[in-house]
Amino acid sequence: MHHFDEPVYMISIVAKILDIHPQTLRQYERENLIAPSRSDGRIRLYSQRDIEKIKTILRLTRELGVNLAGVDVVMRLKDKMEMMENELSELRSEVARMRSSSSVPPEKSLVTKRSVYEMVIFEDDILK
């Protein structure tokens, strides 16, 4: 079995699997929507991850009517959301570790100061 990111499929095979023309795949590459690996002989090689990405592109264009510029925006936003979700997960793990540990490292500690202001009102003897 091949690794999910390992490039193993040639363009003609991917075109048959997805029932699209090879020129469509080349167009997606020109639009920077996909970036298949290349063999030493410059033959495009697609991984299973590439195929999943192409399936997403096809869903967006065929089912939702999104043009390729819109697909690019959607894919970039999707990638950014995944990065943010990973970062959030890491931060949550770090917070959990901090809560379970007995002390907080100085560079991670938070020190707050409280200020108390008092207001004093002086009465003037104006009516004298």
Side-chain angles (χ1 to χ4, degrees), residues 29 35 67 102 125:
E29 187 177 359
N67 65 20
S102 59
D125 286 335

Side-chain angles (χ1 to χ4, degrees), residues 44-60:
R44 290 173 180 87
L45 295 174
Y46 296 84
S47 67
Q48 190 60 43
R49 184 175 307 278
D50 292 328
I51 292 173
E52 292 302 316
K53 193 170 185 178
I54 295 164
K55 285 180 182 180
T56 301
I57 294 167
L58 291 172
R59 254 189 312 277
L60 288 169

Side-chain angles (χ1 to χ4, degrees), residues 123-128:
E123 287 187 22
D124 238 354
D125 286 335
I126 302 177
L127 299 174
K128 282 189 179 177

Side-chain angles (χ1 to χ4, degrees), residues 11 23 59 73-74:
I11 193 168
Q23 281 297 343
R59 254 189 312 277
V73 171
V74 169

Side-chain angles (χ1 to χ4, degrees), residues 4 9-11 13-22 24-29 33-36 44-63 68 71 75 78:
F4 197 67
Y9 303 102
M10 293 185 352
I11 193 168
I13 302 301
V14 174
K16 283 182 185 177
I17 290 171
L18 299 175
D19 194 28
I20 58 177
H21 197 280
T24 303
L25 295 169
R26 291 184 188 100
Q27 177 67 29
Y28 292 169
E29 187 177 359
L33 297 174
I34 57 172
R44 290 173 180 87
L45 295 174
Y46 296 84
S47 67
Q48 190 60 43
R49 184 175 307 278
D50 292 328
I51 292 173
E52 292 302 316
K53 193 170 185 178
I54 295 164
K55 285 180 182 180
T56 301
I57 294 167
L58 291 172
R59 254 189 312 277
L60 288 169
T61 56
R62 290 177 178 172
E63 296 173 18
L68 293 182
V71 169
M75 300 298 274
K78 182 178 175 278

